[in-house]
Amino acid sequence: MTPANDQGGDIICLSPSRVSTVIQAKRWNGAVGNSAVQEVLGAMRHYGCDEGIVVTNSRFTASAIRLVAGGSDLTLRDKQWLEEKMREFLPSSDPEFRRDLFEPIIEGWIQMTRRVAWETTTRRKRLPRGHYTFTEALRYAAEAKGKELTVAEIKKLAQLHNNLSEAEAGLRESNRKMEEARARQRYLEEEIAELDEALLTSESSWADEEYDRLATHRNRNDSA
């Protein structure tokens, strides 16, 4: 999904059994609270998904855990789960480059662009704005060119797509920091409100005590 205006969902996926799931990823230093859960619940309705997942590199607050307790359509995945999956699925080191596997992939992309160009009836003038996969970028480029892409063009497009992905990742990181700063601001505002209330209560109590002291003193003077 696009970083801005994603309606509470970062990833939408479809299982082999056709179950649609929206995922909200939270890379936070502190605990993830109710707002993230509520965002995913809203995204599930907005995108018509069957299930929702909130995954974080941190932990969840007790209130967030209680919010999803007893429900089967929303799941919370914390740091421990994430680390287990990373160890299971991500390689510990970069795999060795194998040209015998790489070249057939390139050839497959060339054939795809050849087929797209052959089937296209209207020449595309430019790539559309917004986020799209590398395969979609290849299709758009073939429509614009009107014939298959060369190896050099595919490599150039891959580099441009990678640069775009890195820029979007930077934007997501900026949005994450902004969200954390806003959450911190809300927390401080709540602390200030509680402190103000405590001060008002203390001042009221002090005023009552002072009034009682003065009243007692006045009564004694009247008696004298």
Side-chain angles (χ1 to χ4, degrees):
M1 307 303 296
T2 53
N5 196 28
D6 58 13
Q7 303 298 333
D10 293 317
I11 302 171
I12 294 179
C13 52
L14 192 66
S15 74
S17 58
R18 311 300 295 177
V19 176
S20 59
T21 303
V22 59
I23 301 173
Q24 176 74 286
K26 292 295 186 183
R27 185 186 177 191
W28 281 11
N29 292 325
V32 178
N34 288 1
S35 60
V37 176
Q38 292 166 349
E39 287 174 3
V40 172
L41 289 173
M44 289 170 62
R45 292 191 296 269
H46 180 79
Y47 295 112
C49 291
D50 304 306
E51 297 179 354
I53 297 175
V54 184
V55 59
T56 179
N57 64 323
S58 182
R59 57 185 178 83
F60 293 96
T61 63
S63 59
I65 295 173
R66 287 195 299 270
L67 191 60
V68 301
S72 59
D73 55 352
L74 183 57
T75 307
L76 304 182
R77 300 296 190 183
D78 61 10
K79 178 181 180 179
Q80 181 178 353
W81 178 90
L82 183 61
E83 290 178 344
E84 289 175 356
K85 296 304 177 183
M86 290 174 65
R87 287 192 297 268
E88 180 179 355
F89 291 104
L90 297 183
S92 57
S93 60
D94 293 335
E96 180 182 356
F97 175 73
R98 292 182 56 181
R99 184 166 295 278
D100 60 321
L101 298 178
F102 173 74
E103 290 180 348
I105 294 175
I106 294 292
E107 181 58 32
W109 284 337
I110 292 175
Q111 292 179 8
M112 182 196 69
T113 60
R114 183 187 303 133
R115 183 174 62 255
V116 170
W118 177 262
E119 296 172 352
T120 299
T121 57
T122 303
R123 184 77 63 84
R124 185 183 292 275
K125 294 182 179 180
R126 60 178 65 87
L127 295 180
R129 295 183 179 273
H131 178 77
Y132 40 81
T133 65
F134 179 58
T135 300
E136 290 173 330
L138 290 173
R139 295 179 63 88
Y140 295 147
E143 291 174 356
K145 184 179 179 182
K147 60 180 181 179
E148 69 185 50
L149 302 183
T150 65
V151 174
E153 289 171 335
I154 289 177
K155 289 182 178 179
K156 180 63 175 179
L157 190 59
Q159 183 61 55
L160 292 173
H161 191 268
N162 183 66
N163 292 343
L164 178 61
S165 298
E166 290 180 351
E168 290 179 343
L171 179 58
R172 285 194 296 271
E173 178 68 10
S174 298
N175 289 341
R176 180 189 68 81
K177 291 181 179 179
M178 176 99 39
E179 190 174 356
E180 282 192 343
R182 287 172 177 169
R184 178 63 176 171
Q185 181 181 9
R186 289 193 297 269
Y187 171 77
L188 292 175
E189 288 174 350
E190 292 174 358
E191 290 285 299
I192 292 173
E194 291 179 0
L195 180 60
D196 287 342
E197 184 177 355
L199 288 174
L200 288 173
T201 302
S202 176
E203 289 176 357
S204 176
S205 176
W206 176 86
D208 291 341
E209 292 177 358
E210 185 66 12
Y211 176 81
D212 291 342
R213 186 184 67 80
L214 292 175
T216 301
H217 181 71
R218 184 177 57 196
N219 291 336
R220 288 175 178 174
N221 290 338
D222 292 343
S223 298

